Amino acid sequence: MRRTYGIDIDCANCARKVEEAISEVDGIESVTLSFVDKRMFIEVSDGNVDRFDEIEKAAEETAHRVESDFRMWRTDTVSECDDEKENDTYLIPRICTGVAFLAFGLLLEYVLDWNIDGTVLRAVFLIGLLVVGYDVVVNAVRNLVHARFLDENFLMTVATLGALAIGYWTESVAVMLFYQIGEFFQDRAVDRSREHVKALAELKAPYATVIRNGKTQTVQPESVEVGETVAVGPGEMVPIDGIVTAGEGFVDTKAMTGEPVPRHVGVGDKVLAGYINTSETLMVRTETAYRDSASAKILALIEDSASRKSRSEKFITRFAKVYTPAVVLCALAIAVIPSVADPSGWKDWVYKGLIFLVVSCPCALVVSVPLSYYCGIGRASKDGILVKGSTFIEALSGIDKAVFDKTGTLTKGEFSVNRIEPEGMSETELLDLAACAEAFSDHPISKSIIGRLGHDIDPSRISDSSAIPGKGVEAMVDGRVVTVGNVRMMKECGIDLESEGDRSETNVYVAVDGKYAGRLVISDGLKDDAEDAVSSLKDMGVRTYMLTGDTEPVGKAVAERLRLDGYRAEMLPGDKTSELERIMSSSEGKTCFVGDGINDSPALARADVGIAMGCIGSDSAVEAADVVILDDSPSKVASSIRISKRTQTIVAENIVLALAVKFAILALTAFTDAVDMWIAIFGDVGVLVIAVLNAVRALRIPRGDARNRMSEERCGD
């Protein structure tokens, strides 16, 4: 059983400690905690469900507060907002007060030449220290009571009190003051990145106006049943997926798909939960329960994304677990061993040890790395691209082969019957028999044939209907055996085709009682941005392939027009997976598969990264995918890779920056006298601020992504 918690954490290093504490509880299968968005995911075995109280107690020993469900994050409740505003209200004046007292103390000490041992001077520094850092000391004591050492509160408290003990009053205040300034910048950066993902988390309509017994009732979306009619007024959000039965106008789909241009809808059009009505009132007949609606699925994907950590995040967690204790032991050794050998210089060695303590705080790493990934996920979500965790951001950055399904992915999937070419019967009769045979199929081609018929089909005319995946259908219609399908199906049924027609077109052949009766010519055009999508991928060095169940001539025509590196046609669903594996084995790079249909699910699951197109695609495709593109734009495949590459570069920059500066300061401190506490403060707080600001760059539009830039400009307009 899995449960999600909201958790209030002091620092990024505390996240690791909470995970360690909870993992020691019997019955825990896994625990993952995201410091950035304050979420904790716990899985317990079925026989240990009653241990959740023990788990919550273990978490509360290392965190301020644990919420037993996650509504506080999902709905942005007043309690969470009030807490954040309260923290901001008090922290900013405290920082300003600390700066004032520090400046006043320096004025007294250096300008007015007061004696540093003077009572007034010490009182000034002590008041400034207590105002700016009392909460850090309280948290350190609380963690000490619970035997939780080596978090940033404890390290900063020891460094501050140690500086006071040896007479470094100015440095003691500076350590705490700049630590709080670093915390302020960190919180602001985290909040900014969180807003991009929270925008998607607010897709749930607060209410639904349902029509019951001729009267309107305002209810929760969860209580609306399938088939009921809801009224969506101007400015209101569509609460549940459904079909427009009355009204006409425009809906804003930006929150769902990232597209800035409103979409026109009218009677018979489908609208999704999360769309916002911008014109007149629409009457919508619901097609699903709320739990199965598009917005509910997206919320579930968002909630799950933080539980999947990248290798870089896992490395940093393991590194911090070893690095911090090691540096603290070095600090003790530097402070104690030389002092015992030469007691006359003990203050200098203790001072060096305190510098080690300040520099040892791993926040620059354990904050900036997950924050970089979070910002990357936020940037993608703003463009209507849902990435199910940082592990897939990392995987996307290494993609060198992209394999596409054709129908509904590169092509529009909006089939229409262009021509009807009967043999021995009228066009009307051929179309009628074909439509009846296809009546129980959900395939887009089947729907196009039924749509061309233009009237309802009497189901009593049809019996013994069966579908053969990748080939066609067969049914008894008015007592006659009607076979509808491709060339392969006709050959397997022993039907002699008098003419296969132009094989660069999509042909659907019809046979009646084992005799060829004609064919229907179906058209399906390329999506508007399909060529741009392939071109952008090639510019990034990504090779492109296509796998399709369509005929060889049709597949070849599409591949040549898009200038793909390779393609395979006339493939059954099972063939796609085996061909995908062959492509994956052709080089050591990673491969993504892009598809939208239920038959693509095995390939989506098998690829290094599975990318599902369209939030109205099949449930199994969305569940199997690692990345979900909420609209039908293949160009966003290139955007997702570009965002991932940029994010991964920022992660590498932050790791190199933090480690290089910290190790340099530690080495200089150990072997020279060139480092003082101010440099140590820069090595901790300065590097943290730089790394955090660098991480926030992942929220920006990647250079060269003109399509996203134009979209944002339109949004601004």
Side-chain angles (χ1 to χ4, degrees):
M1 179 179 179
R2 178 176 178 176
R3 184 172 292 181
T4 306
Y5 292 81
I7 185 165
D8 185 13
I9 309 171
D10 292 329
C11 66
N13 201 29
C14 293
R16 174 179 61 83
K17 296 183 178 296
V18 174
E19 288 183 351
E20 291 176 354
I22 294 176
S23 63
E24 295 173 359
V25 179
D26 293 337
I28 295 293
E29 293 185 350
S30 68
V31 54
T32 304
L33 195 151
S34 171
F35 163 72
V36 177
D37 54 7
K38 298 184 179 182
R39 284 187 286 173
M40 180 169 62
F41 305 87
I42 298 177
E43 289 190 9
V44 300
S45 55
D46 294 338
N48 292 275
V49 176
D50 58 346
R51 303 186 71 90
F52 275 116
D53 290 341
E54 185 177 348
I55 292 169
E56 292 175 17
K57 181 179 179 181
E60 287 175 346
E61 289 181 354
T62 51
H64 285 311
R65 186 178 72 254
V66 176
E67 297 288 339
S68 59
D69 60 37
F70 212 56
R71 288 172 298 181
M72 85 170 185
W73 180 89
R74 176 175 287 183
T75 60
D76 196 17
T77 59
V78 175
S79 62
E80 183 191 18
C81 293
D82 287 348
D83 286 344
E84 292 178 356
K85 291 178 180 178
E86 183 178 0
N87 290 338
D88 289 346
T89 301
Y90 288 110
L91 182 58
I92 295 175
R94 284 168 53 203
I95 290 175
C96 293
T97 303
V99 170
F101 273 94
L102 179 61
F104 184 52
L106 292 173
L107 178 68
L108 294 178
E109 182 177 359
Y110 294 104
V111 178
L112 301 180
D113 197 24
W114 284 47
N115 190 339
I116 195 170
D117 294 326
T119 303
V120 174
L121 182 59
R122 290 182 177 181
V124 169
F125 283 127
L126 187 58
I127 293 173
L129 178 62
L130 291 175
V131 169
V132 77
Y134 74 88
D135 57 331
V136 178
V137 178
V138 170
N139 290 334
V141 172
R142 188 190 70 230
N143 292 338
L144 191 63
V145 170
H146 293 295
R148 304 288 180 186
F149 301 101
L150 303 184
D151 73 315
E152 60 183 1
N153 295 291
F154 181 78
L155 294 175
M156 291 301 154
T157 299
V158 171
T160 300
L161 296 180
L164 286 176
I166 62 176
Y168 287 87
W169 290 78
T170 305
E171 286 84 347
S172 67
V173 179
V175 167
M176 196 64 75
L177 175 62
F178 285 102
Y179 166 71
Q180 293 285 40
I181 292 174
E183 287 291 292
F184 175 79
F185 276 102
Q186 171 188 309
D187 291 343
R188 299 289 68 72
V190 171
D191 290 343
R192 180 183 172 190
S193 63
R194 190 179 293 148
E195 288 303 316
H196 287 265
V197 180
K198 270 191 175 182
L200 282 175
E202 294 169 354
L203 287 174
K204 180 181 177 181
Y207 60 87
T209 304
V210 63
I211 311 298
R212 291 174 178 169
N213 300 321
K215 298 181 179 179
T216 60
Q217 296 182 22
T218 301
V219 299
Q220 290 295 313
E222 291 87 346
S223 66
V224 179
E225 298 181 359
V226 177
E228 289 193 298
T229 297
V230 295
V232 184
E236 293 182 339
M237 181 180 290
V238 177
I240 304 174
D241 300 354
I243 300 295
V244 177
T245 58
E248 181 180 4
F250 291 88
V251 290
D252 184 350
T253 69
K254 184 168 63 223
M256 290 286 289
T257 66
E259 291 300 320
V261 180
R263 181 181 302 177
H264 181 269
V265 295
V267 175
D269 290 332
K270 184 170 185 176
V271 291
L272 301 178
Y275 287 1
I276 297 176
N277 181 19
T278 62
S279 51
E280 65 178 77
T281 299
L282 300 175
M283 307 303 291
V284 179
R285 184 182 68 250
T286 61
E287 285 194 317
T288 67
Y290 172 75
R291 64 178 178 274
D292 298 319
S293 67
S295 64
K297 293 174 186 175
I298 292 172
L299 290 173
L301 292 177
I302 296 171
E303 183 170 318
D304 189 54
S305 65
S307 65
R308 308 188 188 202
K309 293 187 176 181
S310 67
R311 289 181 299 175
S312 299
E313 286 182 279
K314 293 176 182 177
F315 163 75
I316 291 303
T317 301
R318 293 193 300 268
F319 175 82
K321 186 176 181 180
V322 176
Y323 162 80
T324 305
V327 175
V328 170
L329 289 176
C330 289
L332 287 173
I334 288 175
V336 174
I337 296 175
S339 298
V340 173
D342 181 17
S344 63
W346 72 272
K347 282 189 176 183
D348 293 335
W349 291 109
V350 170
Y351 187 66
K352 284 178 176 284
L354 295 177
I355 290 174
F356 259 67
L357 286 181
V358 173
V359 178
S360 68
C361 186
C363 282
L365 285 171
V366 294
V367 172
S368 67
V369 171
L371 179 61
S372 299
Y373 283 117
Y374 197 84
C375 289
I377 292 173
R379 172 67 256 178
S381 68
K382 189 173 183 180
D383 294 336
I385 304 169
L386 281 183
V387 184
K388 296 183 181 179
S390 59
T391 183
F392 301 116
I393 287 279
E394 189 175 57
L396 273 170
S397 67
I399 294 295
D400 69 354
K401 298 179 292 294
V403 183
F404 290 85
D405 172 51
K406 180 181 75 71
T407 303
T409 303
L410 292 174
T411 63
K412 296 178 181 178
E414 299 173 354
F415 294 95
S416 61
V417 179
N418 274 356
R419 299 194 309 277
I420 303 174
E421 300 180 357
E423 188 72 28
M425 62 177 64
S426 67
E427 291 185 6
T428 302
E429 185 180 5
L430 179 66
L431 178 62
D432 177 67
L433 292 173
C436 288
E438 299 275 13
F440 300 111
S441 173
D442 291 327
H443 194 282
I445 290 180
S446 303
K447 293 180 179 179
S448 71
I449 296 173
I450 297 169
R452 176 64 181 268
L453 185 64
H455 60 76
D456 293 336
I457 297 172
D458 182 0
S460 64
R461 299 173 57 196
I462 310 163
S463 61
D464 298 332
S465 177
S466 62
I468 298 87
K471 298 177 183 177
V473 298
E474 189 171 81
M476 292 288 294
V477 180
D478 298 333
R480 293 188 288 180
V481 178
V482 179
T483 306
V484 183
N486 55 24
V487 173
R488 184 182 300 180
M489 185 168 184
M490 295 296 116
K491 290 181 178 179
E492 289 184 1
C493 294
I495 298 170
D496 182 25
L497 298 178
E498 295 184 8
S499 171
E500 294 187 11
D502 184 355
R503 297 197 64 192
S504 65
E505 299 175 317
T506 298
N507 295 286
V508 176
Y509 304 97
V510 183
V512 179
D513 292 330
K515 184 178 179 181
Y516 177 67
R519 66 189 180 98
L520 309 176
V521 180
I522 311 294
S523 65
D524 178 25
L526 287 175
K527 290 183 177 177
D528 296 337
D529 62 340
E531 293 185 62
D532 289 339
V534 175
S535 177
S536 296
L537 289 170
K538 286 181 175 293
D539 290 343
M540 290 188 287
V542 178
R543 287 173 288 170
T544 54
Y545 302 86
M546 181 183 70
L547 305 179
T548 178
D550 216 328
T551 63
E552 172 67 26
V554 172
K556 182 179 180 181
V558 172
E560 288 180 347
R561 180 174 175 182
L562 295 177
R563 298 185 296 279
L564 301 174
D565 294 300
Y567 75 97
R568 285 288 303 276
E570 300 182 7
M571 305 193 74
L572 297 176
D575 298 333
K576 289 185 178 181
T577 304
S578 58
E579 180 63 18
L580 173 63
E581 291 176 343
R582 187 193 68 78
I583 295 173
M584 292 172 65
S585 64
S586 64
S587 69
E588 295 183 357
K590 294 187 179 298
T591 304
C592 68
F593 182 85
V594 189
D596 71 325
I598 189 171
N599 62 323
D600 295 326
S601 299
L604 288 168
R606 177 63 185 89
D608 294 313
V609 180
I611 303 178
M613 294 283 296
C615 60
I616 57 175
S618 70
D619 292 345
S620 60
V622 172
E623 290 173 3
D626 307 311
V627 179
V628 179
I629 295 176
L630 299 180
D631 62 8
D632 292 318
S633 302
S635 60
K636 288 189 177 179
V637 175
S639 296
S640 65
I641 295 176
R642 189 177 292 112
I643 290 170
S644 299
K645 286 181 179 292
R646 178 184 175 87
T647 302
Q648 200 64 26
T649 298
I650 291 173
V651 168
E653 291 171 351
N654 284 340
I655 292 175
V656 171
L657 170 69
L659 292 181
V661 172
K662 285 182 179 292
F663 282 135
I665 293 176
L666 291 175
L668 290 171
T669 302
F671 301 109
T672 72
D673 295 325
V675 178
D676 59 14
M677 189 63 75
W678 295 98
I679 296 178
I681 292 172
F682 170 77
D684 176 33
V685 179
V687 171
L688 169 63
V689 172
I690 293 172
V692 165
L693 294 177
N694 190 44
V696 175
R697 289 174 51 232
L699 288 171
R700 299 177 185 172
I701 303 172
R703 183 174 298 174
D705 198 345
R707 185 175 187 274
N708 287 338
R709 185 174 291 107
M710 288 187 293
S711 295
E712 290 214 339
E713 288 173 355
R714 288 196 298 268
C715 288
D717 293 340

